[in-house]
Amino acid sequence: MSKYHIIGDVHGYASFLKKLLKKLGYEKNESDKYYHPKGFKVIFVGDYIDRGKEEESTIEIVKKVVESECGIALMGNHEYNAICYATPTAQGYLRQHTEKNTYQHQAFLDEYPFGSKKYKEAIEWFKTLPIYFEDKGIRVIHAAWSTKDIEKVQPFLNENNTIKDTLLLEVEKEGEVYKSMETLLKGVEYELPNGMVWKDKDGIKRNTMRFNWFKKVDKVTYKNCALSIPKYVDLPDVEICGGVEPYNEKEVVFFGHYWMTGEPAPQTEKTACVDYSVAKKGILVAYEWSGESILKKENFIFP
Ligand SMILES: [Mn+2]
């Protein structure tokens, strides 16, 4: 049985990553390769870049772990966005260089100047990151495990779940593959029924909600499955049809992306977020998985 440490979103905070790897027991051998004396491997859930001031050293560590065959680094939405930002199209870029998009990417661009050799090499490395990971009893993905969406993108993935060049051409069409990539790496979002809108804390009207796919609910309604919607918003108790199902399979699933706060704990017996907001004064955590089919709070590890 394989044993893994699933590590949350690092976002350019290399010093936290170094401390965590040490705490987890990873060491380097005489050929400067990472290994774990008890045979654990790392699975990174993605989002290595943007926000922190140690982008390069984060990438170097993660790369080193992968090259040491001591772990797997998945693609997060930030690496996916970076690839799209770097990909020219007839209209400009696959991810447009708007003020907002550039601002979100600035910490990375500061250390990897746009178009430089170093920049291009980083983008090429991002393209080698698998979209999801599966082994006996365990699944890992950056934002949302949705079998339907994985099936949609599968023809555009290589055997090791890395993207083929044709995937980006599909994404450019903004069709089903584009939507599935958004779901898998950024999460599930729904438009509210009957033209309903709610106001956020800045008074801005919104007509969508993020969907909580990793919680157990009796009835899949807008009200029961809303994610990061303020408490004062009264969503309809109407069933959501045809969307992503709340996760209800026997394999455990790990993910990052959701900026959790508070004491790390699984969301359900089968689902656990490992992103505890290191880039927002939180902590970098790992879950130590040794094959259990019921996740436990005690298995979260953090310095
Ligand atoms: Mn993310």
Short mmCIF file of all heavy atoms in Angstrom, two decimals, residues 9 11 47 76-78 142 185 256-257, ligand 1:
data_model
loop_
_atom_site.label_atom_id
_atom_site.label_comp_id
_atom_site.label_asym_id
_atom_site.label_seq_id
_atom_site.Cartn_x
_atom_site.Cartn_y
_atom_site.Cartn_z
N ASP A 9 -1.68 24.21 -1.00
CA ASP A 9 -1.24 25.29 -1.89
C ASP A 9 -0.09 26.08 -1.25
O ASP A 9 -0.25 26.61 -0.15
CB ASP A 9 -2.40 26.24 -2.16
CG ASP A 9 -3.68 25.53 -2.60
OD1 ASP A 9 -3.93 24.41 -2.13
OD2 ASP A 9 -4.42 26.11 -3.41
N HIS A 11 1.84 28.69 -2.94
CA HIS A 11 1.76 30.10 -3.37
C HIS A 11 3.01 30.93 -3.12
O HIS A 11 2.94 32.06 -2.61
CB HIS A 11 0.56 30.79 -2.71
CG HIS A 11 -0.76 30.46 -3.35
ND1 HIS A 11 -1.02 30.68 -4.69
CD2 HIS A 11 -1.90 29.92 -2.83
CE1 HIS A 11 -2.26 30.29 -4.97
NE2 HIS A 11 -2.81 29.82 -3.87
N ASP A 47 -0.94 25.06 -7.27
CA ASP A 47 -0.81 26.46 -6.83
C ASP A 47 0.52 26.68 -6.10
O ASP A 47 0.55 26.96 -4.89
CB ASP A 47 -2.01 26.90 -5.97
CG ASP A 47 -3.20 27.29 -6.83
OD1 ASP A 47 -3.13 27.11 -8.07
OD2 ASP A 47 -4.20 27.78 -6.27
N GLY A 76 -2.37 23.40 -10.46
CA GLY A 76 -3.40 24.22 -9.82
C GLY A 76 -3.94 25.23 -10.82
O GLY A 76 -3.41 25.36 -11.93
N ASN A 77 -4.95 25.96 -10.43
CA ASN A 77 -5.48 26.97 -11.35
C ASN A 77 -4.46 28.07 -11.64
O ASN A 77 -4.46 28.66 -12.72
CB ASN A 77 -6.79 27.57 -10.84
CG ASN A 77 -6.68 28.21 -9.48
OD1 ASN A 77 -6.19 27.60 -8.54
ND2 ASN A 77 -7.12 29.46 -9.35
N HIS A 78 -3.53 28.31 -10.71
CA HIS A 78 -2.53 29.36 -10.97
C HIS A 78 -1.53 28.94 -12.04
O HIS A 78 -1.13 29.77 -12.85
CB HIS A 78 -1.86 29.79 -9.67
CG HIS A 78 -2.75 30.68 -8.85
ND1 HIS A 78 -2.65 32.05 -8.85
CD2 HIS A 78 -3.81 30.38 -8.07
CE1 HIS A 78 -3.61 32.56 -8.08
NE2 HIS A 78 -4.32 31.57 -7.59
N HIS A 142 -6.90 19.54 -7.80
CA HIS A 142 -6.76 20.87 -7.19
C HIS A 142 -8.06 21.41 -6.59
O HIS A 142 -8.08 21.84 -5.45
CB HIS A 142 -6.18 21.88 -8.18
CG HIS A 142 -5.94 23.21 -7.52
ND1 HIS A 142 -4.99 23.37 -6.53
CD2 HIS A 142 -6.55 24.41 -7.64
CE1 HIS A 142 -5.03 24.61 -6.08
NE2 HIS A 142 -5.96 25.26 -6.73
N LEU A 185 -10.19 22.65 -11.97
CA LEU A 185 -9.09 23.41 -11.36
C LEU A 185 -9.54 24.65 -10.59
O LEU A 185 -8.78 25.21 -9.81
CB LEU A 185 -8.06 23.80 -12.43
CG LEU A 185 -7.37 22.65 -13.16
CD1 LEU A 185 -6.21 23.15 -13.99
CD2 LEU A 185 -6.87 21.58 -12.18
N GLY A 256 -7.10 21.17 -2.76
CA GLY A 256 -6.62 22.41 -2.13
C GLY A 256 -7.61 23.51 -2.43
O GLY A 256 -8.81 23.32 -2.32
N HIS A 257 -7.11 24.69 -2.78
CA HIS A 257 -7.87 25.76 -3.43
C HIS A 257 -8.80 26.61 -2.59
O HIS A 257 -9.06 27.76 -2.94
CB HIS A 257 -8.67 25.16 -4.59
CG HIS A 257 -9.29 26.17 -5.50
ND1 HIS A 257 -8.51 27.04 -6.24
CD2 HIS A 257 -10.58 26.49 -5.79
CE1 HIS A 257 -9.32 27.83 -6.96
NE2 HIS A 257 -10.57 27.51 -6.70
MN MN B 1 -6.31 27.42 -6.34
#
